[in-house]
Amino acid sequence: WRDLGWEDWFTKYGITPFHLTYEELDADLPLAVRRVLEFLGIEYGKPVPSSVLLRQSDAVNEAWYTRYLSEEA
């Protein structure tokens, strides 16, 4: 995801960006939310709820992904 243009811009303006990937959100949403809140300096005294969303991908998505990777090679 790293884009040197963004990295240069953040450095130029003395900004430390918060890095969070989709995979981190997917693996543990409450932890990801707590990390964002901590980064922003926000204290949240309650437990962060888990996502109520369900994964919608299935074997068809996996087949498309595999085909995409094979065609890009």
Side-chain angles (χ1 to χ4, degrees), residues 22-64:
Y22 171 80
E23 289 76 16
E24 291 168 319
L25 284 170
D26 184 49
D28 192 340
L29 180 63
L31 176 61
V33 170
R34 286 192 304 273
R35 287 183 51 222
V36 170
L37 293 173
E38 181 180 313
F39 180 80
L40 296 173
I42 299 171
E43 291 190 30
Y44 187 75
K46 299 182 244 177
V48 177
S50 296
S51 175
V52 295
L53 302 176
L54 300 175
R55 179 177 293 279
Q56 296 180 0
S57 64
D58 57 16
V60 173
N61 299 94
E62 185 62 32
W64 289 347

